[in-house]
Amino acid sequence: MSRPVFGAIADDFTGAVELAAMLASGGARAALLTDLSARPSDVDAVVIAVRSRVEPPEVALTQFTQALDALEAIGPRQLFFKYCATFDSTDQGNIGNCADLLAERAGAPSLLFCPAFPEVGVTVYTGHLFVRGTIVSDSPKRLDPLTPMTDPDLRRVLGRQTSRGVGLLPWTTIQSGADAVRSHVQARTARGAPYLIADTLTEADLETLAQATWDWPAMTGGSSVAACYPQIWRARGLTAAEPYAPTAGRSGAGAVLAGSVADQTLEQIAVFEQTRPVLRLDLLAEGDLAGQALAWADSRLPGGPICITTATPHARTQEIQDRLGVLGAARKAEAILAQVAVGLAARGVERLVVAGGETSGAVVQALGFPQLKVAPYQGPGMGLCSVEVPRPISLCLKSGKLGGPNAFHEALTQMEQPH
């Protein structure tokens, strides 16, 4: 097996799909693994999806360690830690603690943190995070039920998650080019700040950061900075330009499973319901909710796509979380929707849209897919992929916070065509 150039760990499944899709769009042969024992051959990049974002720190570190072990067995030249563009985390983790482990295992003297995603309006300036021009602590992200972002200064946010010094890579330095970035990082590391938050406002900034870090043992950030690497690899002869084999199109029965409680997902459910049936499951209800959902689906699937969701308006979500706990409510929703996904697949569903990163991870694991074939990038938060075994099915693993109002219909239609 040839040695991959790049090995990444993503802290949720939608992020992993997005990263693999962006690498594929750049011409890289990327494999997305969900089985850590898999050893893909003839690939340029390997992406491993874990579900560490909202786990307790000790659980997250266990998952991250297992993923690092798998990557070290595969042997990529560079290790990459992919997290959400909005730096979703808490004071306990799980970005700083996992970055510490990454740096130690990779022998990296310093790390850059580049979450920005200018394409969707997520930028960093003076170390502060902005979402569509609004500082993150004033945006809807402050109300996130699992990872509320109430502190806009990413230096402070990261500093609460690691004992290593955290500093800033200012925008003015990035404007001076890749060599200036490298020099600044070396100087700040020597002064006790090996972790630097990278100001990033434009796609050009991402390209400069990629030029400065492509040969580092380890790097961290969102998928947008990693998307700049494939052209560098080709230019330096590390990869070959080959046609990308498309994912298969499917025209069978379709369904949507929505576990995210993000405002965008609630709107997407409402738009879908204007033309298609939607079942809302109450997490506080008694009985076999997954079985009830599948019974409801049986008579409706022949008539076209359906949606089954555990998402509720914010007031009801708060009530459920008060009863079950924040993580308890999330895990119950994921478990129910994962059971529903298995039942839908057994009923012949070939097109499945899953809204929510944690929900996507639970569904993929329940379906038992060791490796996903990812289509080239379609747009922010909309990752298309397919598998043939143990059963043929196309998936859209969608970020709960992204996508337009008609995202569900659009994704189901896109899955009918090869990509």
Side-chain angles (χ1 to χ4, degrees), residues 197-388:
I197 301 295
D199 280 352
T200 316
L201 299 178
T202 67
E203 298 293 330
D205 297 338
L206 294 172
E207 293 171 5
T208 299
L209 292 169
Q211 288 287 351
T213 61
W214 70 271
D215 58 348
W216 286 14
M219 174 64 177
T220 87
S223 54
S224 54
V225 67
C228 299
Y229 285 137
Q231 62 180 347
I232 299 173
W233 300 334
R234 285 197 307 276
R236 295 183 176 271
L238 296 175
T239 61
E242 297 179 2
Y244 187 86
T247 56
R250 313 216 186 269
S251 57
V256 177
L257 299 178
S260 171
V261 295
D263 289 339
Q264 289 92 328
T265 297
L266 295 176
E267 180 183 16
Q268 288 155 2
I269 293 169
V271 170
F272 189 82
E273 193 172 22
Q274 293 174 7
T275 56
R276 300 303 310 154
V278 172
L279 175 65
R280 291 175 170 80
L281 299 176
D282 187 341
L283 293 179
L284 297 181
E286 301 292 334
D288 178 10
L289 296 183
Q292 295 169 22
L294 290 169
W296 175 88
D298 282 335
S299 62
R300 292 167 175 82
L301 277 172
I306 62 170
C307 174
I308 298 171
T309 181
T310 55
T312 58
H314 290 302
R316 181 59 173 168
T317 297
Q318 184 63 56
E319 182 180 353
I320 292 170
Q321 290 177 341
D322 289 343
R323 292 274 298 277
L324 302 179
V326 173
L327 194 57
R331 291 295 179 256
K332 183 173 182 179
E334 293 156 18
I336 291 169
L337 293 177
Q339 292 178 50
V340 172
V342 172
L344 291 176
R347 287 161 170 76
V349 168
E350 290 188 349
R351 294 175 294 147
L352 188 61
V353 180
V354 187
E358 295 296 310
T359 307
S360 294
V363 165
V364 169
Q365 289 183 333
L367 289 172
F369 303 139
Q371 184 171 327
L372 302 176
K373 184 176 180 62
V374 180
Y377 182 62
Q378 303 294 310
M382 301 291 287
L384 300 182
C385 47
S386 66
V387 294
E388 298 296 333

Side-chain angles (χ1 to χ4, degrees), residues 4-318:
V5 179
F6 185 82
I9 302 171
D11 68 355
D12 81 338
F13 273 73
T14 56
V17 173
E18 180 180 81
L19 174 56
M22 285 190 165
L23 295 172
S25 288
R29 298 165 299 166
L32 174 58
L33 306 185
T34 59
D35 181 350
L36 297 184
S37 65
R39 296 292 180 264
S41 59
D42 298 323
V43 297
D44 303 314
V46 175
V47 180
I48 292 178
V50 297
R51 299 175 62 201
S52 62
R53 181 174 299 172
V54 298
E55 293 285 4
E58 62 275 11
V59 175
L61 287 174
T62 296
Q63 293 182 5
F64 207 82
T65 298
Q66 293 169 346
L68 279 172
D69 290 343
L71 284 179
E72 288 183 353
I74 295 170
R77 293 172 180 268
Q78 182 182 52
L79 298 175
F80 188 89
F81 174 25
K82 192 274 178 198
Y83 38 77
C84 185
T86 46
F87 216 70
D88 289 12
S89 55
T90 69
D91 287 352
Q92 290 69 48
N94 289 310
I95 295 178
N97 51 341
C98 290
D100 288 344
L101 182 58
L102 174 68
E104 179 183 344
R105 292 282 290 268
S110 53
L111 288 175
L112 281 185
F113 293 78
C114 180
F117 198 162
E119 181 180 348
V120 296
V122 179
T123 56
V124 179
Y125 186 64
T126 65
H128 290 66
L129 185 65
F130 293 81
V131 180
R132 299 182 183 89
T134 299
I135 203 161
V136 69
S137 53
D138 290 337
S139 78
K141 271 298 298 177
R142 73 188 189 281
L143 303 174
D144 190 299
L146 294 177
T147 53
M149 295 299 293
T150 57
D151 187 345
D153 190 332
L154 296 187
R155 291 165 296 184
R156 290 195 300 251
V157 173
L158 184 61
R160 292 191 287 267
Q161 300 178 30
T162 177
S163 61
R164 304 194 184 196
V166 180
L168 176 68
L169 174 60
W171 188 73
T172 51
T173 300
I174 295 171
Q175 302 316 293
S176 298
D179 289 342
V181 169
R182 291 176 184 252
S183 296
H184 182 87
V185 172
Q186 291 173 355
R188 293 292 289 153
T189 300
R191 291 163 57 190
Y195 287 1
L196 297 181
I197 301 295
D199 280 352
T200 316
L201 299 178
T202 67
E203 298 293 330
D205 297 338
L206 294 172
E207 293 171 5
T208 299
L209 292 169
Q211 288 287 351
T213 61
W214 70 271
D215 58 348
W216 286 14
M219 174 64 177
T220 87
S223 54
S224 54
V225 67
C228 299
Y229 285 137
Q231 62 180 347
I232 299 173
W233 300 334
R234 285 197 307 276
R236 295 183 176 271
L238 296 175
T239 61
E242 297 179 2
Y244 187 86
T247 56
R250 313 216 186 269
S251 57
V256 177
L257 299 178
S260 171
V261 295
D263 289 339
Q264 289 92 328
T265 297
L266 295 176
E267 180 183 16
Q268 288 155 2
I269 293 169
V271 170
F272 189 82
E273 193 172 22
Q274 293 174 7
T275 56
R276 300 303 310 154
V278 172
L279 175 65
R280 291 175 170 80
L281 299 176
D282 187 341
L283 293 179
L284 297 181
E286 301 292 334
D288 178 10
L289 296 183
Q292 295 169 22
L294 290 169
W296 175 88
D298 282 335
S299 62
R300 292 167 175 82
L301 277 172
I306 62 170
C307 174
I308 298 171
T309 181
T310 55
T312 58
H314 290 302
R316 181 59 173 168
T317 297
Q318 184 63 56

